[in-house]
Structures are given as structure tokens and as C-alpha cells.
């Protein structure tokens, strides 16, 4: 148990101090390359439907877990500390809380330079950023931060705490699969089914738990915790995803602002709805983005505390389940 807690704390501390490592052999890059290799091979064999997608899922997840186990066994044969260092490195590489927050801080820092922040925002969102004015940039940034709170922080962190590195590697492999093939277009509607459905499944509970987490963060910051609950219940279904609407709506309520607004993709207006009560402001500025960043940061710190508690208190949590 002590070893597991030190691993969690060490990975979180390295992420906080160093951020996401950038190098060609980053685990996510390797998984992404393997996804492409397997996809091309399966398509060449004519396996373009759901069966091919399930095989693709198994090949990717199996490779991710197999490489971790293989390297770990080799290092453990040399010295146990080398194996533990490998575990720490992988855990640190697969947590990206600092990177999420830094993206928001960079946009806040450059908010007066609209062309620059539009380019930076285009790396975070799938919409057209050219039409966005200052308020639209702030809304889109808050939406990205709150959505990725679940996908990028809560699910990976809590899975690591409960199920150890195998769980963390599994959810990161699934998330990478979904980001590459989980689309409802002609190529991936059937082939990406397994990736998309498994991604929905792994984030289902963390997405809903993000609501009380954001409400508690709002209470600590003297924002609007009860509006976080009400907004999440009332507005989460505005987004097509079964999960992302919960944290986005909770964030809107906690800050008492309206999010979404006009969204353009490939030059076409796809929605003009707002998430939030009609009397909440939608013309947001730097002060609102700063409040949002503090809210997300506080929620991340609370998530670490919750994760450590789960690792200690939940029966069967890793490593108690190991023989």
C-alpha cells in the first residue's frame, strides 16, 4: 500500500513540476502509431466493420499492456527498483493535469492577441476558431477545460488509484483509440464503434462525480456550488456526448455564466444554443477565465485527495487485489 501511494504522489508531483513530457517515444505517441498500423492492416484485409473494430481494440489495448509488462519484467530481473522507476515514469507520462491547466493559462495570458489565442484554441477544440471574438474564446476555453477535467484528469487519476497502472494504461489506450477512430463518419461509424462505446463507459461515472467535485471547489472559492448541481441536472443533455455535458454544465453553474453559444464547423453554423440560465452573462472576459482556471485547479487538487482516499479506503483497490 505504501509503495502504491508513493507511486501516485510521485506521478502527480512530477506532472505538477515538469508537465507532460514531449519526446518522440512518448507512450501516447507509440499507442497512436500502433493504432494507425493496425487500422491499415485490418482495412487491407477488408475488416472495416464492427468485427474489425473489436479486433483493432484488442490489438491496441493488448499492445499497450503487453509492452508495459514486458519492459517491467525485464527491469525487475535486473533490480526491483528499476521496475518501480519504470512504473513511476509511465504513470507520470500518462497524467496530464498541468498540461490541461497550462493551455488555459496561456490563452489567458495572450487574450488581448486574438489571432494568437485563436490559433492556440484550435489545438484544443474541434470548432472553427476564426469567427470567435474575445467572449467566444473565453467560453470555448472554459468548455474545453471543464470537459477535459473528466477525460484528462478524473478518469485516469482515479483509475490509477483504484486499479493501479494496468487500469491507467487501459483507460489511456481507450481514450487514444476514441480520439482517433471514434467518429460517426463513413470510415469509422462501424469500425470505431468499440472504441467509442468503451470510451463512453470508462468516463460514465467520473463524469457524473465531476458535478459534486466542482460544486465543492465552487464552495471553497465562494462561487455558486448549488447552481453547479442545478445546471448539471438541467443542461447536461445539451451536448450529444453522454458524459461531457455534466462537467461543462456544472462549470457553467459554478461560475454562473453561459457557455457554448454560436459554434461553427467548416464554415457552417452547427448550433447557437447557450448552456445556462438566460439571465447569466455570456459576454465573458479575462476575469471569468481566471475564475474558471481557479475552479478547475481546485477541482484537480480535490481529485487527488479523493483518489488517495480511494486507494486507502476502498476494499479491493490496487494493490490489495494482487495475489
Amino acid at each position: 500500500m505504501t509503495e502504491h501511494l508513493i507511486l501516485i504522489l510521485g506521478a502527480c508531483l512530477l506532472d505538477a513540476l515538469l508537465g507532460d513530457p514531449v519526446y518522440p517515444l512518448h507512450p501516447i505517441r507509440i499507442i497512436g502509431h500502433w493504432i494507425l498500423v493496425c487500422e491499415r492492416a485490418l482495412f487491407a484485409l477488408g475488416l472495416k466493420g464492427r468485427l474489425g473494430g473489436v479486433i483493432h481494440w484488442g490489438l491496441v489495448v493488448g499492445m499497450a499492456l503487453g509492452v508495459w509488462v514486458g519492459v517491467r519484467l525485464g527491469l525487475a530481473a535486473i533490480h526491483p527498483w528499476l521496475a518501480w522507476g519504470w512504473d513511476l515514469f509511465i504513470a507520470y507520462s500518462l497524467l496530464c493535469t498541468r498540461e490541461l491547466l497550462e493551455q488555459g493559462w496561456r490563452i489567458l495570458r495572450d487574450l488581448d492577441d486574438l489571432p494568437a489565442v485563436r490559433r492556440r484554441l484550435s489545438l484544443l477544440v474541434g470548432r472553427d476558431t476564426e469567427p470567435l471574438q474575445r467572449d467566444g474564446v473565453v467560453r470555448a476555453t472554459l468548455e474545453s477545460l471543464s470537459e477535459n477535467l473528466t477525460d484528462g484528469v478524473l478518469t485516469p487519476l482515479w483509475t490509477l488509484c483504484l486499479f493501479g497502472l494496468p487500469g491507467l494504461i487501459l483507460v489511456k489506450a481507450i481514450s487514444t483509440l476514441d480520439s482517433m477512430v471514434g467518429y460517426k463518419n463513413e470510415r469509422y461509424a462501424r469500425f470505431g464503434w468499440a472504441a467509442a462505446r468503451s470510451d463512453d463507459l470508462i468516463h460514465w461515472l467520473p463524469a457524473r462525480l465531476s458535478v459534486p467535485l466542482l460544486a465543492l471547489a465552487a464552495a471553497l472559492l465562494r462561487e455558486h456550488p448549488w447552481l453547479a448541481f442545478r445546471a448539471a441536472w438541467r443542461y447536461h443533455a445539451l451536448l450529444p456526448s453522454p458524459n461531457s455535458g455534466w462537467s461543462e454544465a456544472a462549470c457553467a453553474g459554478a461560475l454562473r455564466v453561459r457557455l457554448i453559444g454560436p459554434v461553427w464547423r467548416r464554415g457552417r453554423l452547427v448550433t447557437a444554443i447557450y448552456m445556462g440560465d438566460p439571465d447569466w452573462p455570456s459576454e465573458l472576459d479575462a476575469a471569468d477565465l481566471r475564475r474558471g482556471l481557479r475552479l478547475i485547479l481546485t477541482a484537480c487538487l480535490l481529485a487527488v485527495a479523493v483518489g488517495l482516499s480511494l486507494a486507502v479506503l476502498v476494499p479491493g483497490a490496487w494493490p490489495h487485489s494482487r495475489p
Side-chain angles (χ1 to χ4, degrees), residues 141-297:
T141 303
L142 289 173
E143 292 159 30
S144 178
L145 291 172
S146 56
E147 177 182 359
N148 284 297
L149 173 67
T150 296
D151 298 354
V153 178
L154 302 187
T155 301
L157 175 62
W158 291 344
T159 303
L160 172 64
C161 294
L162 282 171
F163 305 110
L165 261 180
L168 175 60
I169 293 168
L170 174 68
V171 300
K172 295 299 287 190
I174 290 174
S175 292
T176 308
L177 268 166
D178 180 64
S179 69
M180 296 183 67
V181 303
Y183 298 102
K184 294 181 179 179
N185 55 28
E186 183 178 352
R187 182 177 178 87
Y188 294 125
R190 291 175 57 79
F191 186 80
W193 173 83
R197 295 291 77 76
S198 58
D199 188 74
D200 290 342
L201 179 63
I202 62 173
H203 297 303
W204 190 91
L205 184 58
R208 284 144 185 84
L209 293 178
S210 70
V211 178
L213 192 77
L214 284 165
L216 179 56
L220 293 174
L221 296 173
R222 298 187 178 182
E223 292 287 354
H224 307 277
W226 296 115
L227 290 182
F229 284 109
R230 183 165 68 82
W233 180 256
R234 181 174 293 181
Y235 299 116
H236 73 272
L238 290 179
L239 298 184
S241 166
N243 296 322
S244 59
W246 291 94
S247 54
E248 285 193 33
C251 180
L255 298 174
R256 198 182 174 277
V257 298
R258 284 192 293 167
L259 299 180
I260 307 182
V263 174
W264 298 77
R265 287 194 178 94
R266 298 179 181 178
R268 184 171 64 91
L269 182 67
V270 295
T271 185
I273 62 171
Y274 282 90
M275 174 182 281
D277 291 2
D279 60 331
W280 296 355
S282 62
E283 295 184 2
L284 310 184
D285 56 20
D288 298 301
L289 181 52
R290 191 174 291 108
R291 291 168 55 222
L293 283 164
R294 285 198 294 263
L295 179 73
I296 299 298
L297 172 59

Side-chain angles (χ1 to χ4, degrees), residues 102-121:
E102 279 191 340
Q103 292 289 353
W105 286 116
R106 291 181 191 125
I107 290 174
L108 175 62
R109 179 194 63 198
D110 299 331
L111 195 55
D112 291 330
D113 185 352
L114 269 180
V117 295
R118 285 169 180 155
R119 288 192 298 271
R120 187 176 298 281
L121 184 61

